Amino acid sequence: MKSDGHEAHPLIGRLVRDIPSGTEGRLMAVVREDLPTHTGTSRTTRRGYIRPTGGGPELPTALDNIEPLGAT
């Protein structure tokens, strides 16, 4: 993992789908982030950022919500 929270992942640059939204695009980054909780503490999570095929802003999603699409 890099000092900025980015980490290597085998799907970076490949076509993927965000399962909950159905968004398809390229996985651009995987980042380890500290997110606040309702108790005021923080928890560490891994999020993937998908650049939609049709354009638009990158979609952040939980890494477990990403599935690869066929060959790239």
Side-chain angles (χ1 to χ4, degrees):
M1 181 174 68
K2 298 178 184 176
S3 62
D4 61 0
H6 284 75
E7 54 185 64
H9 192 278
L11 294 178
I12 289 179
R14 292 192 49 200
L15 289 173
V16 297
R17 176 184 297 118
D18 174 51
I19 297 166
S21 72
T23 299
E24 295 181 357
R26 293 212 180 265
L27 182 63
M28 302 307 295
V30 173
V31 180
R32 188 174 299 266
E33 299 174 325
D34 290 326
L35 299 176
T37 66
H38 67 283
T39 62
T41 61
S42 65
R43 66 179 177 87
T44 301
T45 185
R46 293 170 68 211
R47 296 183 2 155
Y49 287 82
I50 299 172
R51 181 175 296 158
T53 303
E58 290 181 0
L59 171 74
T61 189
L63 199 55
D64 290 342
N65 290 341
I66 296 173
E67 64 182 5
L69 293 177
T72 57

